[in-house]
Amino acid sequence: MSSSLTPERRQATTTSRKGRRLLTLLMALLSLILSSLANPLPIEGRSFPGGGSIANARPARPAAAHPGPLSRPVQVAAPAQAQAQAETTPADDTTNTNTNPLLPEQKYFHEPGYTEELSHYDTRYFTTPVPYDPHIVHLRHLIRSYLLMTSSRSLTTWLAHGTLLGWYWNGAIMPWDYDLDVQVSNSTLGEMAREWNGTTFDYVYTLSGQEEKEGLGKQGEVHVKKYLLDVNPYWAQRTRLEGLNVIDARWIDMENGMYVDITGLSEDREQKGTPGGRGTGVWSDKNFHGYGTRQIWPLRKTEFEGVEAWVPWDVEGVLKEEYGGRSLTGETWAGHHFDHGRKEWVKTELVKKTS
Ligand SMILES: *[C@@H]1O[C@H](CO)[C@@H](O)[C@H](O)[C@H]1NC(C)=O
Ligand SMILES: *[C@@H]1O[C@H](CO)[C@@H](O)[C@H](O)[C@H]1NC(C)=O
């Protein structure tokens, strides 16, 4: 992996054309030098929450932010990439033999255990379970760094499952969750596999005043965390098999093994007639979740945990199908209560104590 990120700088409007050319040359040279040094690759983020500024090599997506749930959508077209990328045949130097090396199926991602306490970590980076209080902080950095990485690499991704439900309520992770879920199209998954698999990323962030209040350090302090993008070699195998590899990729916190599960959706044009499908086929993961094209696209641009994020077009429909209508209205859940004043989920035992 040799591509690198250098923060984009706004050039002074007064710079002469010659000066600009020199600057461009210098920037190119700088990025060349950086790319030779770059491992891990940097992602830069500044003071969160509240959406601090983010420096990225590639220009951010057009259009202004419309933060907050159910804001007016900025349209992102359904991925035509499926076709567009089909002409580049995937390298298959491993499949020259008659036998498929992936069979019999073997589980790729491993967790230290199957219990609720142990199933939310990647074995390779796990040492000990992360307790309730700090876990939410690690999850926030996980999703922020993932969203920053994907948007700076123009990898289209959106929130899914419990993470999407958290967004629906207040644009934040539900505090009883221990992992995070996002989805990508099959073609984006292919891009992750070809371009970014095995890449570690440096995520540099500056502590905000809010984080100082939460006892995480001093405001202005610069911290670095490392994350790994790991793509399951079974990603291109789009059927469930024995269900050992339904997670296509992971974004892993290399300090403690916590992760974001990344699953790809591929279109099955044979299957018709699910809600919103209208003959355009069904987009499915490998674990019995299916969506009509119009349920997912066009994606809506929004914010999650203070950074730019995308959600499916029909968030409510998707959530109702997966969790039932009560998930959108029930205000007590998993020992927590939704506090309308604070607009956040708080532990029920604490609510009782103070009321
Ligand atoms: C998934 O994407 C790859 C290319 O990235 C393509 O070869 C494959 O046919 C796609 N599979 C499905 C089911 O769309
Ligand atoms: C990704 O990289 C790991 C090693 O870092 C490898 O085991 C795995 O097979 C790779 N996945 C793909 C899709 O190539």
Side-chain angles (χ1 to χ4, degrees), residues 44-56 65-68 140 144 147-148 171 203 205-211 302-309:
E44 294 194 8
R46 309 236 167 86
S47 29
F48 295 106
S53 65
I54 297 146
N56 287 320
H66 292 283
R140 264 187 225 146
R144 286 172 183 166
L147 293 170
L148 288 166
Y203 165 58
Y205 63 97
T206 307
L207 283 197
S208 64
Q210 174 66 28
E211 285 165 324
T302 178
E303 250 182 47
F304 188 67
E305 290 289 356
V307 300
E308 180 190 288

Side-chain angles (χ1 to χ4, degrees), residues 265-314:
L265 299 187
S266 38
E267 188 177 21
D268 180 352
R269 289 171 188 269
E270 304 301 305
Q271 265 193 75
K272 296 185 199 276
T274 48
R278 288 287 160 88
T280 52
V282 172
W283 291 80
S284 324
D285 66 6
K286 298 203 277 188
N287 205 22
F288 310 119
H289 299 104
Y291 310 87
T293 305
R294 284 291 284 156
Q295 278 187 297
I296 305 283
W297 291 280
L299 297 173
R300 295 172 188 263
K301 181 176 170 159
T302 178
E303 250 182 47
F304 188 67
E305 290 289 356
V307 300
E308 180 190 288
W310 300 80
V311 296
W313 175 262
D314 181 15

Side-chain angles (χ1 to χ4, degrees), residues 9 48 60 72 74 97-98 150 191 208 261 269 283-284 293 300 306 308 328 335:
R9 247 156 257 189
F48 295 106
R72 276 201 54 74
V74 173
T97 54
N98 294 334
T150 47
E191 199 178 333
S208 64
D261 270 341
R269 289 171 188 269
W283 291 80
S284 324
T293 305
R300 295 172 188 263
E308 180 190 288
L328 306 182

Side-chain angles (χ1 to χ4, degrees), residues 6-15 20 23 27 53-56 60:
T6 47
E8 186 178 56
R9 247 156 257 189
R10 188 164 292 161
Q11 292 167 9
T13 44
T14 50
T15 326
R20 256 203 312 266
L23 201 67
M27 296 275 287
S53 65
I54 297 146
N56 287 320

